[in-house]
């Protein structure tokens, strides 16, 4: 969805599209992340390195790998809709504050993302 369009925007050097698509992809990646629960008391502790380059990180091959959540098409659309809504709301606020330049940029970003909502 947005990933293939990001490549096109990068080739065209379309800064507004690049910004909007990168932001939407980051929101999608955040939604795919599995929430981290604090360790329960008595749970086994993972080995932690003391190496100056990796201090405090989990040690061992794949020790920090966690499977990502799989999002449905409806989840993806919901995330993009939220991104559009946030930009539209912020544009109205910028306009109210007399910052028409920023409002116009956010409206343009919202338009780029809106194209992904249409079937």
């Amino acid at each position: 969805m947005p990933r293939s369009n990001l490549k096109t925007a990068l080739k065209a050097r379309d800064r507004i599209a690049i910004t909007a698509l990168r932001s939407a992809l980051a929101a999608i990646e955040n939604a795919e992340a599995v929430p981290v629960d604090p360790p329960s008391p008595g749970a086994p502790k993972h080995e932690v390195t003391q190496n100056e380059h990796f201090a405090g990180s989990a040690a061992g091959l794949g020790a920090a790998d966690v499977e990502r959540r799989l999002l449905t098409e409806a989840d993806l659309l919901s995330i993009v809709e939220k991104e559009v809504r946030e930009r539209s709301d912020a544009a109205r606020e910028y306009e109210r504050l007399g910052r028409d330049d920023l409002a116009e940029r956010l409206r343009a970003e919202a338009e780029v993302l809106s194209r992904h909502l249409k079937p």
Side-chain angles (χ1 to χ4, degrees):
M1 197 162 123
R3 195 168 308 277
S4 61
N5 289 346
L6 177 59
K7 288 181 185 179
T8 304
L10 286 167
K11 287 178 184 175
R13 297 183 182 192
D14 182 348
R15 288 183 164 196
I16 290 175
I18 292 168
T19 301
L21 294 168
R22 280 185 174 162
S23 177
L25 287 169
I28 290 168
E29 289 175 8
N30 286 341
E32 290 173 337
V34 177
V36 178
D37 295 327
S40 57
K45 295 186 185 246
H46 295 286
E47 180 183 345
V48 176
T49 68
Q50 298 303 319
N51 182 307
E52 65 187 62
H53 301 290
F54 302 102
S57 64
L61 182 62
D65 289 349
V66 177
E67 223 175 290
R68 313 265 306 158
R69 289 181 22 205
L70 293 177
L71 301 177
T72 64
E73 190 68 26
D75 293 334
L76 295 174
L77 287 174
S78 174
I79 292 166
V80 175
E81 285 172 351
K82 182 179 178 195
E83 290 289 310
V84 170
R85 194 170 43 253
E86 286 176 356
R87 280 170 175 71
S88 298
D89 292 345
R92 281 192 293 278
E93 184 64 18
Y94 277 130
E95 193 170 57
R96 186 183 70 76
L97 296 171
R99 295 299 311 263
D100 294 335
D101 55 328
L102 295 175
E104 187 57 38
R105 181 177 177 91
L106 287 174
R107 280 193 198 91
E109 289 180 17
E111 176 58 35
V112 167
L113 295 176
S114 292
R115 291 183 213 140
H116 294 286
L117 300 175
K118 298 171 186 159

